Amino acid sequence: AMRALLPHFNSLSIRIPLMLIGSAFVAALAVGVNSHLQSSRSLIRKDMETADNTARFRATVLSRIGEGFATDLRIMADAPTIREAYDFLSGVYDNRATKDDALRRHYTERKPPSGQTRADYLGEDDRSTYAIGHKRWHPLLKSMARDKKLYDLFLISPTGEVIYTVEKEADFATNLRTGPWRATGLAKAFEGALAKAAKDEVQFADFEPYEPSAGAPASFIAKAVRDENGQVIAILAVQISDAAISTFIADTFDEDGVSYAIGEDARLRTPIERRGNHKVLSQTPNKALIEQAKAARKPVSAVITSIDGQEAYVSLAPAEFIGQTWYVVADVSKNAINAESRELALRNGLIAAALIGLLSIGAIFIARGITGPVNRMRDAVGRLASGESGEIPGEERRDELGDLARS
């Protein structure tokens, strides 16, 4: 069969189109491969730059969030409303007849009516003098906490008595030095604020499970409250949930990237829902990057195994959060980048195929423009050789084929 086909390949009408189509194929293939390589590199570079910029920008946002919480606490601690509320509530709290068990029974252990929470209870069934102050100050303090996106607000005596809370959880009416919550983040914030009272500084206690809030991760900020003479009369503390931070630090960017905040322990400070629903305080594999960022004192990036076990391009930027160093991580899965690259390759392949098709059609027309006149001249010469009369077609042409016809 090949021998039967070989004579046909000696024909210019076959060889010229094949040569032109082959040249078009090689040219289109070279252009397509080069375009794909450049596009893939550009795509990877774009995803890396996006991750870097996201980490840096959201680290700045995280620092501003921390500054906002600290500023709000300072303003509240200096507000006359806080001083007045503490003065009244601490005065009636110190009445032993209305303290501890009785208060917890009314405000903490009491089951709220359907559709309400303990924070909605004003003290309607409480006949103690504490209820008088609670009915007056609770709506205002509760509104203050909600406006600032705080989970809870505490008024604590210098001796550690939790005089008031918005949520009335198990920490209400207990002592942070002698009671069951003396080793919690709230107790640490209280002691730190008391120690820093002379400098008028705030104290931050980082996220850890907090048993009174059903073991949910919680952080606390506390500051001393002073009377008009400058004497420390109380500690104002607020509880911050991860939701108050993750509202501003979204866990996604672009179509496939994830971002999140972590502490120096490489544990999450904001949750991740896009890849496996990782909770706050879950461990992440970013410890080595944290050490690199500490040594470099600037954002760092690398290709590592990300929190979901996939290889990813990860960028990490430090952020100061109320006196502590946290980090914002932005990562793009290599699988996502490869998927984009494959989609780009398919798109470039289709374009190259269309280009080859168009060039092939053009090559066929060009080949016919050459071989058609040659074939007609060949047929005319054959007729003349057989004794027939006639003209050689193509004498009117101005190119080499015309010269051949006229000769």
Side-chain angles (χ1 to χ4, degrees), residues 252-283:
T252 60
F253 66 94
D254 256 8
E255 293 183 3
D256 302 291
V258 298
S259 70
Y260 48 89
I262 58 176
E264 291 196 314
D265 56 2
R267 293 184 179 275
L268 288 176
R269 296 305 190 265
T270 56
I272 307 174
E273 296 182 359
R274 169 170 278 184
R275 297 186 194 164
N277 196 24
H278 301 279
K279 304 293 186 182
V280 171
L281 296 181
S282 297
Q283 188 68 53

Side-chain angles (χ1 to χ4, degrees), residues 213-227:
S213 298
S219 62
F220 300 88
I221 316 177
K223 185 184 181 300
V225 178
R226 299 176 181 276
D227 62 17

Side-chain angles (χ1 to χ4, degrees), residues 367-380:
R368 285 183 177 178
I370 297 173
T371 60
V374 171
N375 289 336
R376 288 191 293 273
M377 291 172 63
R378 179 199 63 191
D379 294 341

Side-chain angles (χ1 to χ4, degrees), residues 196-238:
K196 292 180 177 180
K199 297 181 180 180
D200 205 34
E201 296 178 354
V202 301
Q203 177 65 39
F204 176 65
D206 206 344
F207 279 97
E208 61 182 43
Y210 188 58
E211 191 60 32
S213 298
S219 62
F220 300 88
I221 316 177
K223 185 184 181 300
V225 178
R226 299 176 181 276
D227 62 17
E228 295 177 351
N229 297 319
Q231 298 297 313
V232 175
I233 59 171
I235 298 296
L236 171 66
V238 296

Side-chain angles (χ1 to χ4, degrees), residues 63-232:
S63 295
R64 297 292 183 269
I65 293 170
E67 292 173 5
F69 281 130
T71 299
D72 287 344
L73 184 67
R74 292 188 182 97
I75 293 172
M76 288 190 293
D78 292 337
T81 299
I82 294 295
R83 290 197 299 270
E84 293 169 10
Y86 179 79
D87 283 342
F88 190 97
L89 292 172
S90 62
V92 294
Y93 182 91
D94 285 338
N95 181 349
R96 306 301 295 187
T98 64
K99 199 178 177 185
D100 299 342
D101 291 342
L103 287 177
R104 286 195 294 272
R105 185 169 60 253
H106 278 293
Y107 296 91
T108 300
E109 298 169 4
R110 174 184 177 277
K111 184 178 179 180
S114 177
Q116 294 187 1
T117 66
R118 287 189 295 269
D120 297 319
Y121 179 61
L122 291 177
E124 293 85 351
D125 299 329
D126 182 10
R127 298 292 182 264
S128 70
T129 52
Y130 184 88
I132 299 173
H134 191 268
K135 290 175 183 176
R136 178 181 177 184
W137 297 109
H138 178 65
L140 184 59
L141 297 176
K142 176 185 172 183
S143 176
M144 187 180 294
R146 297 293 184 264
D147 288 345
K148 302 299 182 183
K149 311 299 181 186
L150 304 171
Y151 178 81
D152 207 348
L153 182 150
F154 307 81
L155 295 178
I156 308 167
S157 74
T159 59
E161 293 287 344
V162 182
I163 303 295
Y164 168 86
T165 76
V166 170
E167 292 295 323
K168 301 301 185 297
E169 294 181 331
D171 45 20
F172 173 59
T174 62
N175 190 287
L176 296 179
R177 286 180 167 170
T178 61
W181 318 121
R182 57 186 177 274
T184 62
L186 177 60
K188 294 172 186 176
F190 160 74
E191 294 290 358
L194 205 58
K196 292 180 177 180
K199 297 181 180 180
D200 205 34
E201 296 178 354
V202 301
Q203 177 65 39
F204 176 65
D206 206 344
F207 279 97
E208 61 182 43
Y210 188 58
E211 191 60 32
S213 298
S219 62
F220 300 88
I221 316 177
K223 185 184 181 300
V225 178
R226 299 176 181 276
D227 62 17
E228 295 177 351
N229 297 319
Q231 298 297 313
V232 175

